[in-house]
Amino acid sequence: MGTASFLKRAQALLRIRNQLLRECLAELLAVFVLILITLSGSAQMVTSSGTKGDIVTAYMAGALAIMVAIHTAGGVSGAHLNPAFSFAMCLLEQFPWWKFPIFVAVQILGAFISAGAVYALYYDAIWHYSNGTLTASGPRETASIFATYPADYLSLSNGFLDQVIGTALLIMGILAMLDTRNKGVPKGLEPVAMALLVFCIEISMG
C-alpha cells in the first residue's frame, strides 16, 4: 500500500501539464526513436561490410522506425518528425506558424542526440571497421551511417529535384492517408501505411 501511494505521488510530481512542453518532449522522443533505429540499420550494414545487413534491411529499418515513431508521439504532438512536414502543415493552416521554429529546433535536437547514441552504440564496430581513421569517402568510409551523400556524377540541380520530388511524394501520401474525405486508411493502421509509404520511396528513389 505504501509503495502504491509513493508511486502515485511520484507520478503526480512528474506529470507535465503544459501542452506545448508535452508536445515538444513527445516530438523529441519520437525523432530520437526514428533516427536511432534508422541509423542503426545503416551502421549494421556498413560496419559488417554487408554480411549482417544490406541496403534493403537498412531501408526496412528506416520504414519500421517511422511506424514506431508515429506510435510514440502521434497522439501528443502529431508526430511530425520532419521540418518539411511541419512546414506543409503550416501552409495548410493545420499547424500554427509560431510553433514551427520550436518544432524544427526540437526535431533537429532529437536527431543529433540519437546520432550520438548510435555512435556510442556502434563505437567499437565503427573504429574497427574504419581501421582507426574516420573518413567521408573511400572503401572504409563511415560517414554514410549518419548522412546521405550524392553520387559523384549527380549534379546540384538533379540532386535538388530528387529531394523535392521525394519529399513532395511523402507529404502528398501522408495527407492522402489522413484525408477523411478520401479513401482513408483504416483507423489504427496509419503508422503501418506510412511505414510502407516511406519504404516505397526508399526503394524507388533512395
Side-chain angles (χ1 to χ4, degrees):
M1 195 71 175
T3 304
S5 177
F6 170 77
L7 289 175
K8 283 185 178 179
R9 287 199 303 271
Q11 191 177 35
L13 285 172
L14 294 172
R15 187 182 302 277
I16 298 170
R17 292 176 173 81
N18 183 281
Q19 182 60 28
L20 178 61
L21 183 57
R22 285 167 58 89
E23 291 175 5
C24 287
L25 289 174
E27 195 73 10
L28 181 74
L29 181 59
V31 172
F32 177 84
V33 168
L34 168 63
I35 303 302
L36 181 71
I37 298 173
T38 301
L39 297 190
S40 292
S42 295
Q44 183 162 283
M45 173 186 67
V46 171
T47 59
S48 70
S49 299
T51 60
K52 292 182 172 64
D54 55 25
I55 195 70
V56 176
T57 62
Y59 285 159
M60 287 181 67
L64 294 174
I66 288 285
M67 181 182 69
V68 178
I70 293 172
H71 278 297
T72 299
V76 182
S77 68
H80 289 197
L81 308 176
N82 188 324
F85 184 75
S86 298
F87 184 66
M89 291 297 96
C90 288
L91 290 176
L92 295 171
E93 298 183 346
Q94 295 182 25
F95 189 67
W97 280 103
W98 67 268
K99 280 187 180 180
F100 176 67
I102 300 173
F103 263 49
V104 170
V106 168
Q107 289 159 358
I108 293 172
L109 177 62
F112 271 94
I113 293 172
S114 58
V118 171
Y119 179 72
L121 180 64
Y122 277 88
Y123 182 85
D124 289 343
I126 288 171
W127 283 96
H128 177 265
Y129 173 78
S130 65
N131 291 323
T133 303
L134 301 182
T135 60
S137 60
R140 291 282 175 172
E141 62 80 24
T142 51
S144 61
I145 293 173
F146 301 97
T148 55
Y149 292 86
D152 293 336
Y153 58 78
L154 190 67
S155 66
L156 183 62
S157 57
N158 204 172
F160 179 76
L161 180 64
D162 163 74
Q163 292 300 301
V164 169
I165 291 178
T167 304
L169 180 59
L170 174 66
I171 301 298
M172 185 190 73
I174 292 172
L175 293 177
M177 291 175 189
L178 297 178
D179 190 350
T180 55
R181 299 165 297 178
N182 200 359
K183 186 173 175 59
V185 178
K187 189 168 180 60
L189 289 180
E190 296 92 342
V192 177
M194 291 176 193
L196 291 173
L197 170 62
V198 169
F199 186 62
C200 173
I201 294 172
E202 286 177 328
I203 61 175
S204 62
M205 301 178 191

